[in-house]
Amino acid sequence: MIKNFPSYFNDFAHLFFPHNCLGCGTDTLENNAPLCAACFVQLPETGFFQQKDNPVKNIFYGRVNIQNAASAFYFAKDSLLQHLIVELKYHGNKDAGYYLGKLLGCRLQESEGFQEVEIIVPVPLNTKKEKMRGYNQAAAIADGIAEVWHRPVIKNALGRKIFTETQTQKDRISRWQNMQDVFTVMDENLLKNKHILLVDDVVTTGATLEACGEAALGAENTKLSIATVAYTV
């Protein structure tokens, strides 16, 4: 029997299916991660999951009744994190979302403020937009979270009724107006009596998460917390 067969096989496969870091392009990677160790340490941690009152939670103060909210990393233009989000949302790289979800799951696992969460609910995409993209990026993140932080992911409890324009270039008021009456509860039985963790990729003004969270709280006896990969500075 050949010793270290898995290692030989991986080296052989790598010749034909090269795997490079999405940050710097090196092929020195561990466990098929999209980032090498050197790029990983460049991701700008927020530390919000260890802060009871943090900037993400404060976004929703007086707007929607939440228990906790936090983001794992700071989002800045032309950053490595933006590159990963663009890969996820516009270049079909679902694995990037799964990876970011695992990083988010580790922070949730370590945070005392989120331990009462019972289910993970990704912000839904409109059916037309999801078909165009091939997947829901928030659902990919949610699956990554569940890999390390063992809560069920519920993908069909909420729905998005309207195909909305992108929020990227809108100001805060326009974002809020754009999201009015967009979300609905599809199956209340999946949500009622649960503490829900609503998950998305990036929070900026919070308009999308606010509207989606209000819809979720319409189910009987629910509690709501929010987690995102990134917080826009």
Side-chain angles (χ1 to χ4, degrees):
M1 183 176 179
I2 301 175
K3 294 182 179 180
N4 300 321
F5 177 76
S7 177
Y8 287 127
F9 178 80
N10 288 338
D11 291 343
F12 179 78
H14 188 75
L15 292 174
F16 296 95
F17 304 100
H19 178 51
N20 300 95
C21 172
L22 289 176
C24 66
T26 182
D27 62 357
T28 306
L29 297 169
E30 295 182 1
N31 301 321
N32 295 317
L35 294 181
C36 68
C39 287
F40 170 75
V41 298
Q42 295 179 36
L43 293 175
E45 294 262 8
T46 63
F48 291 167
F49 283 95
Q50 305 305 322
Q51 299 177 26
K52 185 175 181 181
D53 293 311
N54 64 73
V56 176
K57 187 174 182 180
N58 291 339
I59 287 173
F60 301 99
Y61 182 78
R63 293 168 56 180
V64 61
N65 184 22
I66 62 170
Q67 307 302 307
N68 285 290
S71 301
F73 305 104
Y74 290 106
F75 181 93
K77 188 176 180 180
D78 299 324
S79 66
L80 174 59
L81 186 60
Q82 183 189 37
H83 178 62
L84 291 175
I85 297 291
V86 168
E87 280 287 313
L88 169 63
K89 295 179 72 170
Y90 305 113
H91 295 163
N93 195 335
K94 187 177 178 180
D95 289 343
Y98 191 78
Y99 172 73
L100 290 170
K102 289 199 292 184
L103 298 182
L104 183 54
C106 289
R107 280 118 192 108
L108 285 158
Q109 192 175 48
E110 296 166 356
S111 176
E112 293 182 4
F114 287 82
Q115 296 312 306
E116 293 184 0
V117 165
E118 296 168 275
I119 59 174
I120 303 168
V121 177
V123 171
L125 278 181
N126 177 267
T127 303
K128 180 180 177 182
K129 187 174 286 188
E130 185 167 349
K131 190 172 182 180
M132 290 168 57
R133 183 168 291 164
Y135 55 87
N136 176 1
Q137 76 275 3
I141 293 167
D143 287 339
I145 293 172
E147 175 70 20
V148 296
W149 194 55
H150 304 297
R151 268 73 169 173
V153 177
I154 309 298
K155 299 178 181 177
N156 56 347
L158 296 176
R160 196 163 185 151
K161 299 182 290 184
I162 303 170
F163 187 97
T164 54
E165 299 175 358
T166 179
Q167 298 276 77
T168 306
Q169 302 300 323
K170 296 181 181 295
D171 60 27
R172 180 171 179 172
I173 294 175
S174 296
R175 285 173 184 246
W176 181 81
Q177 292 173 336
N178 194 43
M179 299 311 300
Q180 293 305 293
D181 302 317
V182 166
F183 299 99
T184 188
V185 174
M186 305 295 290
D187 189 341
E188 184 173 358
N189 290 325
L190 295 173
L191 299 178
K192 68 179 183 181
N193 302 318
K194 301 293 187 190
H195 187 155
I196 302 161
L197 180 71
L198 192 62
V199 169
D200 207 359
D201 52 357
V202 181
V203 58
T204 303
T205 66
T208 299
L209 286 158
E210 177 187 355
C212 192
E214 285 287 8
L217 288 170
E220 181 183 348
N221 192 33
T222 54
K223 293 182 179 180
L224 180 69
S225 290
I226 290 171
T228 70
V229 170
Y231 164 68
T232 302
V233 180

